[in-house]
Amino acid sequence: MDVILLERIAKLGQMGETVKVRDGFARNYLLPLGKALRANAANKKRFESERATLEARNLERKSEAQKVAETLDGKSFVVVRSAGETGQLYGSVAARDIVDVLAAEGFNVGRNQVELNTPIKTIGLHKVVLHLHAEVAITIELNVARSADEAERQSKGESLTSADAIYGVDEDALTAADFFDPEADGDNEEA
């Protein structure tokens, strides 16, 4: 189906372009959300008459996104989750959780604006891209940790997935004698 784009859409085209898309994408996404019009003579005339209004609205949205981007770009947010000794989370951090963390800090970002292909399943520092507008994308850092104290240690560059970091034990310095009691008698042997 041929459609006229009413706004810039990533990997598809610029405002005003006539592009060919799959019927389902047009019917289920572009047309209902007002992002495109069917490409016919009447809609082309309608688009040309409304072009100035659409461009002004797009510019306004872009400037609002730029303001939010200036305050958000490069910021770090702490997410506290339960995790095992190896740093594997008991659960995950998904786009919904990122939106909640940003909302707690006073930023209004939609879940569809968070680019997260797979949920975060380990502790550590993770980069997340936010698409605030079709032409405005920024990167924030998520510090996923077991506690606020560990988050602070991670932000200084410390890895918290080893026994040394968690318990204060140097794994490389351990010997077999540290695990077995040489004074133990052999009462547990079978006769």
Side-chain angles (χ1 to χ4, degrees), residues 7-158:
E7 62 185 59
R8 182 182 182 279
I9 298 176
K11 299 181 183 175
L12 194 56
Q14 299 291 332
M15 178 189 300
E17 287 184 16
T18 301
V19 294
K20 185 169 184 65
V21 296
R22 292 183 182 256
D23 291 351
F25 184 57
R27 278 194 311 263
N28 298 325
Y29 181 71
L30 295 175
L31 298 175
L33 294 180
K35 295 179 181 283
L37 295 171
R38 289 180 190 266
N40 59 33
N43 283 339
K44 286 180 183 178
K45 287 180 186 176
R46 178 179 160 199
F47 172 76
E48 289 303 325
S49 66
E50 295 177 2
R51 184 179 199 114
T53 309
L54 292 171
E55 286 177 351
R57 186 172 31 149
N58 184 43
L59 193 60
E60 181 182 323
R61 286 181 185 163
K62 183 179 177 182
S63 65
E64 288 174 7
Q66 288 283 9
K67 289 177 188 173
V68 173
E70 288 171 6
T71 58
L72 259 181
D73 196 19
K75 278 199 168 196
S76 181
F77 297 92
V78 176
V79 180
V80 177
R81 293 285 189 266
S82 298
E85 293 178 359
T86 60
Q88 192 74 21
L89 294 179
Y90 298 136
S92 64
V93 177
R96 169 182 68 239
D97 301 317
I98 296 169
V99 169
D100 292 343
V101 168
L102 292 172
E105 296 289 327
F107 297 103
N108 187 18
V109 176
R111 199 167 81 197
N112 60 342
Q113 294 175 316
V114 178
E115 183 181 308
L116 193 63
N117 295 332
T118 58
I120 298 169
K121 296 190 177 207
T122 58
I123 64 171
L125 301 174
H126 302 276
K127 301 279 186 199
V128 177
V129 176
L130 301 177
H131 293 283
L132 302 176
H133 184 267
E135 301 170 21
V136 180
I138 59 162
T139 302
I140 61 169
E141 181 176 69
L142 283 184
N143 188 343
V144 182
R146 295 181 196 94
S147 67
D149 177 50
E150 284 190 0
E152 188 176 322
R153 289 169 53 195
Q154 272 185 163
S155 65
K156 294 177 182 173
E158 187 176 341

